[in-house]
Amino acid sequence: MKVILCIGVIIVCAYIGYSISKTYIMRKKFFFCLSSFLSQVRREINFSSRKLEEFLCNCDANSKEFNMLVSNYKKLLLLGESINEKTLFADILILSQQEKDCILDFFKSLGKLDVYNQVNTIDNFNKVIQDYYTAAMEESKKYSTLYIKLGIIVGAFIALIII
Amino acid sequence: MLKDLLPLSMYSSLTKKNSEIEINEIRIRVNKPITVLCNTKTYFLSDDGICSASNQAIYGDFNLIEQIIFKACDYSIYAVNEQIKRGYIIVSGGIRIGLCGEVVNDGTIKTIKNFSSICIRIPHLIKNVALPIFNHVLINGEPCNTLILSPPGAGKTTLLRDLVFQFSNHNYPYNIFIADERGEIMGGNDSGTNLGNFCDHISFLNKKDAFMLGIRSMNPNIIATDELGAGEDFDAVEYAINCGVAIIATIHAKDLNDLKNNTLFKRFIENGYFKRYIVLSKENGIGTIEGIYRENFSRIYGGVL
């Protein structure tokens, strides 16, 4: 019975560790997808001046949070509402306030400028996003395995106490 | 068409008493009542539909105008900035939104901002409106150079569109190239406007380049184009005529005398380039055919010269 309990405790602790580490992986994916999206938007605007709606519809990235962000943005556009933080980041919990402000500013200006200025805005924003991505990657390297290991160690420690 | 463009509440008010097809024009100005041109009469827009009393009218504001423009360009100003620079946006279905506001200018127009008023013109596809004139644009069964003239809003584009369609409808297999500089004839690429089986079109390109491109690449029998105005438009028409291509075009002019006073047009009269002149007015409603004239301005049908 004790053995089963110990295994259970280790699994639970490891899972908690994994959940915490997942946030870092998700952040990394989110910024990677956002950066790829910006490159695509830049290309579409600069070369063919395709309208936002056309390529937002085909936007399907590898990050659930990023897809949610795009979907929230589309929803706001269709409703004709102004871009606001509450709706744009609804159900997205992995971003800091500073990151949210920066992304919000960008989406507020998206589609409202001429080609030259829109491309410049995208380039400047992409630089910031690249920094966030680098930071997220480092964090992910540093912490994602750490929290899983910590979870297992804490689980093992509790198991020892139980025994 | 309008449903996709206007805020829902405004569209509901607009279509409360009238159907969309009756509306010709909507004007929205900042802090001024919204006006609607319906069957050549101007009304105000109220919550209960269009009315004659200005005290019941809904007023326009910056937000409403900005919202309509942003929606009209599918949330992508950059995609239509070249049109904005020229003072209008063409929306799906050929709706033309004329713009007024502050021009950002550094020698050349960069864009227009802080829009203060817009004029939404709704085109109408009226079938067979060109039937009464169709036989007159043919000489010995061949299309002749034809100019449709009228003041703004008298139905030139509608007539031109149907005239082009009639060639196909009457089984004349002429290749017609439409130089649609403002995108109004075809109503954008996605409007599904059917102008017959022998039509090719190029949109949003100036007439000079469009004519060159069309003649070189599409080998047209007829070129149809809207609103001749600038000097280079006339050069393009002359070039096409000299290439042996028939022209069907429209121009803003009150009447034939007005056209004769157009200095850019003088050489066309002297050389007798256009064989038929079709004069439209709003006398008995939009699209009234005032008269059809030969190259020497002798009357074929209607009107007193």
Side-chain angles (χ1 to χ4, degrees):
Chain A
M1 185 65 191
K2 266 187 182 176
V3 176
I4 294 167
L5 187 67
C6 289
I7 292 168
V9 167
I10 292 169
I11 289 170
V12 169
C13 290
Y15 182 75
I16 293 168
Y18 170 72
S19 301
I20 298 168
S21 72
K22 210 177 149 190
T23 308
Y24 293 100
I25 297 165
M26 275 156 42
R27 277 174 55 79
K28 190 176 79 174
K29 271 187 184 177
F30 177 86
F31 287 116
F32 177 76
C33 291
L34 184 54
S35 181
S36 305
F37 170 75
L38 292 173
S39 303
Q40 192 205 343
V41 173
R42 189 191 192 284
R43 201 169 51 241
E44 298 286 5
I45 289 176
N46 206 12
F47 183 65
S48 60
S49 286
R50 271 180 76 196
K51 292 181 176 176
L52 275 180
E53 255 194 335
E54 291 172 34
F55 54 86
L56 284 180
C57 285
N58 303 324
C59 185
D60 185 22
N62 193 20
S63 159
K64 195 178 114 192
E65 282 69 24
F66 177 75
N67 287 340
M68 239 187 285
L69 178 82
V70 173
S71 148
N72 292 341
Y73 176 64
K74 277 194 286 189
K75 212 184 295 172
L76 281 167
L77 286 183
L78 291 175
L79 291 172
E81 286 176 19
S82 58
I83 310 297
N84 60 79
E85 189 185 316
K86 199 182 161 195
T87 320
L88 187 64
F89 298 106
D91 302 323
I92 300 174
L93 307 167
I94 57 168
L95 299 173
S96 69
Q97 191 55 45
Q98 193 192 352
E99 290 160 350
K100 279 182 184 177
D101 290 343
C102 177
I103 295 168
L104 182 69
D105 278 348
F106 172 73
F107 276 98
K108 272 183 179 173
S109 73
L110 187 58
K112 290 188 176 166
L113 302 167
D114 61 353
V115 175
Y116 176 77
N117 288 300
Q118 192 72 74
V119 167
N120 276 350
T121 311
I122 291 170
D123 287 344
N124 291 335
F125 181 63
N126 206 2
K127 277 179 201 159
V128 179
I129 293 304
Q130 282 297 332
D131 290 345
Y132 284 143
Y133 175 61
T134 312
M137 216 160 62
E138 277 167 15
E139 278 175 355
S140 172
K141 259 187 208 163
K142 213 169 166 183
Y143 300 117
S144 61
T145 49
L146 178 77
Y147 280 107
I148 297 171
K149 281 175 193 165
L150 265 178
I152 295 168
I153 291 166
V154 171
F157 183 70
I158 296 169
L160 270 176
I161 295 168
I162 292 168
I163 292 165
Chain B
M1 295 189 292
L2 277 176
K3 198 176 182 180
D4 301 327
L5 189 65
L6 303 174
L8 198 60
S9 58
M10 189 177 161
Y11 181 76
S12 312
S13 306
L14 197 65
T15 50
K16 228 166 219 173
K17 292 177 188 166
N18 298 76
S19 73
E20 208 177 296
I21 204 150
E22 292 172 274
I23 297 159
N24 300 108
E25 198 175 279
I26 304 162
R27 284 177 186 267
I28 305 171
R29 301 175 175 106
V30 171
N31 299 329
K32 297 278 184 263
I34 297 172
T35 58
V36 180
L37 183 74
C38 200
N39 299 325
T40 69
K41 284 185 181 165
T42 302
Y43 300 92
F44 295 106
L45 181 66
S46 73
D47 288 327
D48 295 320
I50 62 169
C51 64
S52 304
S54 64
N55 56 354
Q56 292 169 24
I58 303 172
Y59 278 60
D61 59 42
F62 277 117
N63 277 345
L64 177 65
I65 291 176
E66 195 174 289
Q67 197 183 335
I68 292 171
I69 292 171
F70 200 41
K71 214 171 175 186
C73 61
D74 288 332
Y75 320 106
S76 313
I77 295 278
Y78 59 82
V80 295
N81 196 50
E82 285 305 312
Q83 291 178 45
I84 291 177
K85 281 185 198 174
R86 286 182 234 149
Y88 60 83
I89 303 172
I90 298 291
V91 187
S92 163
I95 295 178
R96 182 158 94 170
I97 305 181
L99 310 166
C100 268
E102 291 173 28
V103 172
V104 181
N105 198 332
D106 64 348
T108 53
I109 297 172
K110 289 185 93 176
T111 193
I112 301 177
K113 62 173 188 174
N114 299 336
F115 300 102
S116 55
S117 47
I118 55 173
C119 168
I120 305 171
R121 287 181 63 187
I122 302 113
H124 294 97
L125 196 70
I126 305 172
K127 280 199 169 169
N128 298 329
V129 71
L131 266 184
I133 62 156
F134 183 68
N135 285 330
H136 296 292
V137 301
L138 298 168
I139 298 176
N140 301 326
E142 293 287 320
C144 64
N145 299 325
T146 304
L147 188 67
I148 302 166
L149 59 125
S150 82
K156 288 185 297 296
T157 308
T158 307
L159 186 72
L160 175 72
R161 205 182 283 130
D162 193 57
L163 189 55
V164 168
F165 174 72
Q166 291 304 332
F167 278 99
S168 169
N169 202 30
H170 284 78
N171 293 321
Y172 284 99
Y174 293 119
N175 292 315
I176 304 178
F177 180 79
I178 299 174
D180 195 9
E181 186 174 358
R182 292 169 177 81
E184 278 186 296
I185 305 173
M186 296 305 295
N189 288 331
D190 55 346
S191 70
T193 307
N194 177 17
L195 297 188
N197 300 327
F198 307 107
C199 265
D200 310 295
H201 74 101
I202 192 146
S203 299
F204 304 116
L205 182 63
N206 65 65
K207 291 185 185 68
K208 187 184 157 201
D209 293 334
F211 276 45
M212 285 279 206
L213 189 150
I215 291 169
R216 277 187 201 145
S217 58
M218 301 309 290
N219 185 26
N221 303 106
I222 303 170
I223 293 182
T225 193
D226 209 8
E227 293 187 16
L228 301 179
E232 64 174 25
D233 296 353
F234 293 101
D235 293 341
V237 170
E238 195 170 20
Y239 166 74
I241 290 172
N242 289 333
C243 289
V245 180
I247 297 287
I248 300 174
T250 71
I251 192 167
H252 282 145
K254 195 181 152 205
D255 51 31
L256 281 177
N257 289 326
D258 204 17
L259 182 72
K260 285 176 193 169
N261 292 331
N262 185 336
T263 47
L264 293 168
F265 196 72
K266 274 211 166 101
R267 69 177 195 269
F268 282 78
I269 297 174
E270 285 160 10
N271 293 318
Y273 282 144
F274 282 101
K275 304 295 177 195
R276 292 289 180 267
Y277 295 95
I278 294 156
V279 184
L280 301 183
S281 75
K282 300 182 202 171
E283 197 64 32
N284 299 315
I286 291 170
T288 304
I289 298 169
E290 282 290 317
I292 303 172
Y293 300 87
R294 294 187 187 88
E295 63 202 280
N296 57 3
F297 299 114
S298 60
R299 195 180 64 202
I300 299 175
Y301 163 85
V304 182
L305 192 63

